[in-house]
C-alpha cells in the first residue's frame, strides 16, 4: 500500500499535477505493473485533485491501459485484414497451442497475456505482433515458437 | 516493378542540411513562407486534405498568446504505415516543419502525438529531439517539442479526440466548429498536421513551391507517400507522383489478378477492377471520372479473396474503435456487422442489404465525427460492387 502510494506520488512529481499529466501517469503505472488497480486510481485522483470516477473513465477508454492484471509479456497479434490474408490464423493457433491459452487470457505462471489487436502499422510485413513494445513481423508458426522461447529464457534469467 | 508511375525521392532523401534550410527559411517573413506553402498547393496528408498554408495562416491570425503545434503520428488507419517510416528515417524534416510553423503562428511548445504501437521509436526520436533543441537554441527560437504517447485508440487520430486525450480525458471527438486553429489543445489555437504533411513543408522550404506544384495534377499537387499492402509482390512504402489512375497503380503493384483495391483504409473506398481506369488517386476536384482522397493506404485484393471477409474485418474494426459517444455510430456499426452476418447465413433475405445501405447513409449524415460518417464509404462501395459475394 505505502509503496504504491509512494510511486504514484513519484510519478506525479515527474509528470506534474495538471490534468494533462493524467494519461502519462496512467501509462507509467501500467508500464510498471501491467495493471491499474482501484487503489492506483484513487491515489492518482488524489494527487491530481480530480474525481476517481474521472480517472476510471479515462483509464478504461484506452486499449493499452487495463484495470485487470496482465502477464509480464503482453502479446498483441494483429487481426486486421492484411495480416489475416498473410496467415495470422495459423500463427494464432500456434500461440494458443504453445501457451495453452485463448486470446484475452494469461498463462497461469503470469508470464504471457495473449490479445488480438487492430492494425499495428506493419502491414507490408504481416503477420505482425507486438510483445510489450517490440514489434515482430513476417510471423510463421515456427518463428513464434522461437520468439516465445526467447522471452521465456529472458524471464528465467532474471 | 514500377514502370508506369513516377517514383520520387523527396521525402526520404537523407539530407543533412536542416540547419541551413531553417536559417534560409527563417530569414524570410512569415507572410512570404505562408504564401509559398499556399502556392505549392500542399494539402494535408492525414486524410482530410485541408490546405496547409491556409491552416497555418488561420492559427497565426488568432491573437491568443499561447498556441500549440501538434504532429499527428497516431497513424491507426488499417493499411497505413508510412508515418512510422518517415519518423524513423527523416524525423529532422518533420521537426523542421514544426519549427517554422511555430515561428509563424507564435508557438513555444509542440508535441508529437505518437501511437502506442510505435513506442519502439521513442529512444531514437528522443535523441533527434534533443539535437533539435540545441539547434533551436542556436537559431534563437524559443521552441520545444515533446512526445505524447497515445494509448491504443484509433479515434484519437481524429484531431479533437486527440486533444481530449492529451487533456487527460476519454478520446471522444468534440463538436465542430470551433476548429483547432482557434480552439484546439487546452482550448488554445493549435495547428495539427500529419507527419507526412510536415515533412513535405521541408521540401517546399528547400526547393521552393514550384518544384512541388509541378508534380501531380490540378487540386492534387506534389508527391504522396503510399503504404502498399495485400496481394502485391512488392509491398512497402512508395513516394509517387499524385494523381495517377488506379489502373496504372495496379499495373505496377498488382499480382496480375487484382480484383479490387481498397483506397484509404477501412474508412476509404473499395474500387472494383472495372473502375480502375476511371479512378484517379487525388483529392476531390473538378476532374473527369472519380477522384479519391487517401491517407495513403492501398490494399490490393486478388480474385482468391472473399470481399465479404474483407468487409466483415472492417466492420469488426469499426465496432471496436467507435468511441461510443453518439448513437448512429455506436449502434449503427454493430447493426451493419450483425446484418451482413445474418444475410450471409441466410437468416435475412438479400433485400436486407438495401436496408443496411440506407443505414450506412444515415450514419454518414448523422454521426458526430469522421469515423461514423466514413463507415458508409467502405460499406457501400463493397456491398454495391460485390453484392453476390455478400449473399452466397
Ligand atoms: C477517425 C479519424 C482518424 C484519424 N486518424 C488520423 C491519423 O491517424 N493521422 C492523421 O494525421 N490524421 C488523422 N485523422 C485526420 C485528423 O483529424 C486531421 O484532419 C489531420 O491530422 C490534419 O492534418 P493534415 O491537415 O496535415 O492532414 C483522422 C480523422 C478521423 C476522423
Ligand atoms: S461517430 Fe463514432 S467515433 Fe465519432 S463521435 Fe460518434 S460514436 Fe464516437
Ligand atoms: S494489418 Fe496487420 S499490421 Fe496492418
Amino acid at each position: 500500500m505505502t509503496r504504491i502510494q509512494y510511486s504514484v506520488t513519484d510519478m506525479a512529481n515527474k509528470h506534474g499535477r495538471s490534468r494533462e499529466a493524467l494519461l502519462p501517469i496512467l501509462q507509467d503505472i501500467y508500464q510498471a505493473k501491467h495493471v491499474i488497480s482501484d487503489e492506483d486510481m484513487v491515489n492518482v485522483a488524489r494527487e491530481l485533485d480530480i474525481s476517481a470516477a474521472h480517472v476510471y473513465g479515462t483509464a478504461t477508454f484506452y486499449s493499452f491501459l487495463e484495470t485487470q492484471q496482465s502477464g509480464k509479456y503482453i502479446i498483441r497479434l494483429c487481426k486486421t485484414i492484411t495480416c489475416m490474408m498473410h496467415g495470422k490464423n495459423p500463427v494464432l493457433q500456434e500461440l494458443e497451442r504453445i501457451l495453452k491459452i485463448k486470446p484475452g487470457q494469461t498463462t497461469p505462471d503470469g508470464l504471457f497475456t495473449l490479445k488480438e489487436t487492430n492494425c499495428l502499422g506493419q502491414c507490408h510485413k504481416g503477420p505482425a505482433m507486438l510483445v510489450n513494445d517490440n514489434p515482430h513481423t513476417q510471423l510463421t508458426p515456427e518463428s513464434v515458437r522461437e520468439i516465445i522461447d526467447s522471452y521465456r529464457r529472458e524471464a528465467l534469467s532474471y | 516493378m514500377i514502370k508506369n508511375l513516377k517514383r520520387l525521392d523527396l521525402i526520404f532523401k537523407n539530407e543533412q542540411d536542416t540547419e541551413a534550410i531553417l536559417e534560409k527559411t527563417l530569414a524570410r517573413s512569415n507572410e512570404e513562407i505562408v504564401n509559398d506553402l499556399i502556392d505549392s498547393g500542399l494539402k494535408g496528408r492525414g486524410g482530410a486534405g485541408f490546405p496547409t498554408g491556409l491552416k497555418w495562416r488561420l492559427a497565426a491570425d488568432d491573437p491568443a498568446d499561447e498556441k500549440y503545434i501538434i504532429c499527428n503520428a497516431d497513424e491507426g488507419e488499417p493499411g497505413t504505415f508510412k508515418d512510422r517510416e518517415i519518423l524513423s528515417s527523416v524525423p529532422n524534416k518533420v521537426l523542421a516543419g514544426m519549427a517554422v510553423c511555430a515561428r509563424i503562428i507564435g508557438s513555444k511548445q509542440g508535441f508529437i502525438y505518437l501511437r502506442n504501437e510505435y513506442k519502439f521509436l521513442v529512444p531514437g526520436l528522443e535523441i533527434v529531439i534533443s539535437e533539435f533543441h540545441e539547434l533551436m537554441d542556436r537559431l534563437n527560437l524559443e521552441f520545444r517539442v515533446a512526445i505524447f504517447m497515445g494509448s491504443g485508440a484509433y479515434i484519437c487520430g481524429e484531431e479533437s479526440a486527440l486533444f481530449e486525450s492529451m487533456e487527460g480525458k476519454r478520446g471522444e471527438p468534440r463538436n465542430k466548429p470551433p476548429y483547432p486553429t482557434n480552439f484546439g489543445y487546452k482550448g488554445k489555437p493549435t495547428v495539427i498536421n500529419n507527419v507526412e504533411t510536415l515533412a513535405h513543408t521541408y521540401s517546399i522550404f528547400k526547393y521552393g513551391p514550384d518544384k512541388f506544384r509541378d508534380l501531380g495534377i490540378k487540386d492534387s499537387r506534389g508527391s504522396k507517400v503510399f503504404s502498399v499492402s495485400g496481394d502485391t509482390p512488392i509491398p512497402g512504402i512508395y513516394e509517387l507522383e499524385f494523381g495517377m489512375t488506379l489502373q496504372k497503380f495496379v499495373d505496377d503493384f498488382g499480382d496480375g489478378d487484382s480484383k479490387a483495391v481498397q483506397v484509404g483504409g477501412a474508412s476509404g473506398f473499395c474500387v472494383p477492377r472495372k473502375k480502375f481506369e476511371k479512378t484517379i488517386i487525388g483529392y476531390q476536384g473538378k476532374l473527369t471520372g472519380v477522384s479519391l482522397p487517401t491517407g495513403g493506404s492501398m490494399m490490393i485484393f486478388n480474385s482468391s479473396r472473399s470481399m465479404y471477409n474483407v468487409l466483415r474485418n472492417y466492420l469488426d474494426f469499426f465496432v471496436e474503435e467507435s468511441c461510443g459517444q453518439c448513437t448512429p455510430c455506436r449502434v449503427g456499426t454493430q447493426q451493419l456487422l450483425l446484418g451482413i452476418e445474418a444475410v450471409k447465413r441466410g437468416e435475412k433475405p438479400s433485400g436486407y442489404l438495401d436496408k443496411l445501405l440506407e443505414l450506412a447513409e444515415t450514419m454518414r449524415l448523422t454521426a458526430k465525427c469522421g469515423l461514423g460518417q466514413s463507415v458508409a464509404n467502405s460499406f457501400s462501395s463493397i456491398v454495391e460492387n460485390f453484392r453476390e459475394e455478400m449473399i452466397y
Side-chain angles (χ1 to χ4, degrees), chain A residues 19-24 27 31 54 56-58 60-65 79-82 84-86 116-125 130 133-135, chain B residues 78-81 84 115-120 149-152 156 165-171 185-186 229-231 235-236 299 301 305 310 313 316-317 320-321:
Chain A
R19 192 158 165 163
E20 293 77 41
L22 178 55
L23 216 43
Q27 287 166 345
Q31 164 109 341
H54 177 91
Y56 181 82
T58 301
T60 51
F61 183 83
Y62 297 93
S63 69
F64 274 65
L65 298 175
K79 65 176 163 72
T80 305
I81 190 72
T82 313
M84 281 280 269
M85 286 161 56
H86 290 111
E116 289 188 275
T117 190
N118 290 322
C119 183
L120 295 169
Q122 305 278 359
C123 331
H124 56 322
K125 295 187 195 151
L130 287 177
D133 300 335
N134 304 317
Chain B
T80 316
F81 37 93
R84 169 178 54 78
R115 70 185 305 218
N116 214 290
E117 290 83 345
Y118 293 169
K119 199 167 175 186
F120 62 95
M149 293 309 297
S151 260
C156 288
S165 107
M166 287 181 66
E167 291 172 11
K169 294 178 249 170
R170 298 164 70 86
Y185 175 52
K186 295 207 270 182
S229 68
D231 292 312
M299 296 187 271
F301 303 108
R305 305 295 174 187
V310 173
N313 192 271
D316 189 55
F317 172 79
E320 279 181 18
E321 299 294 347

Side-chain angles (χ1 to χ4, degrees), chain B residues 155 173 321-327 329-330 367-373:
Chain B
I155 191 59
E321 299 294 347
S322 164
C323 83
Q325 194 188 176
C326 69
T327 317
C329 170
R330 184 183 63 244
K368 182 169 175 178
C369 86
L371 187 152
Q373 291 159 7

Side-chain angles (χ1 to χ4, degrees), chain B residues 50-197:
Chain B
F50 194 82
T52 306
L54 195 55
K55 187 181 276 190
W56 292 16
R57 175 172 288 160
L58 286 170
D61 286 348
D62 193 295
D65 49 12
E66 190 181 334
K67 299 183 187 178
Y68 296 97
I69 152 115
I70 296 174
C71 167
N72 189 342
D74 200 47
E75 190 163 69
E77 188 64 54
T80 316
F81 37 93
K82 61 174 180 90
D83 293 342
R84 169 178 54 78
E85 187 61 30
I86 294 171
L87 279 180
S88 42
S89 59
V90 287
N92 57 313
K93 297 187 184 180
V94 177
L95 289 167
M98 292 176 79
V100 173
C101 180
R103 215 277 306 269
I104 291 172
I105 69 168
S107 165
K108 295 189 174 65
Q109 181 67 53
F111 295 96
I112 297 175
Y113 188 99
L114 187 69
R115 70 185 305 218
N116 214 290
E117 290 83 345
Y118 293 169
K119 199 167 175 186
F120 62 95
L121 295 178
V122 168
L125 277 175
E126 275 174 347
I127 295 171
V128 179
I129 289 174
S130 76
E131 287 164 6
F132 172 76
H133 287 162
E134 287 166 17
L135 172 60
M136 290 296 94
D137 291 344
R138 288 200 295 281
L139 295 171
N140 274 322
L141 268 185
E142 202 188 323
F143 180 58
R144 289 291 180 264
V145 171
I147 299 172
F148 194 99
M149 293 309 297
S151 260
Y154 165 68
I155 191 59
C156 288
E158 196 278 341
E159 51 200 22
S160 65
L162 183 150
F163 303 144
E164 292 285 300
S165 107
M166 287 181 66
E167 291 172 11
K169 294 178 249 170
R170 298 164 70 86
E172 292 173 348
R174 303 172 180 168
N175 283 317
K176 283 187 224 173
Y179 293 100
T181 44
N182 298 115
F183 192 91
Y185 175 52
K186 295 207 270 182
K188 304 295 179 193
T190 303
V191 164
I192 176 161
N193 275 130
N194 175 255
V195 174
E196 181 189 345
T197 311

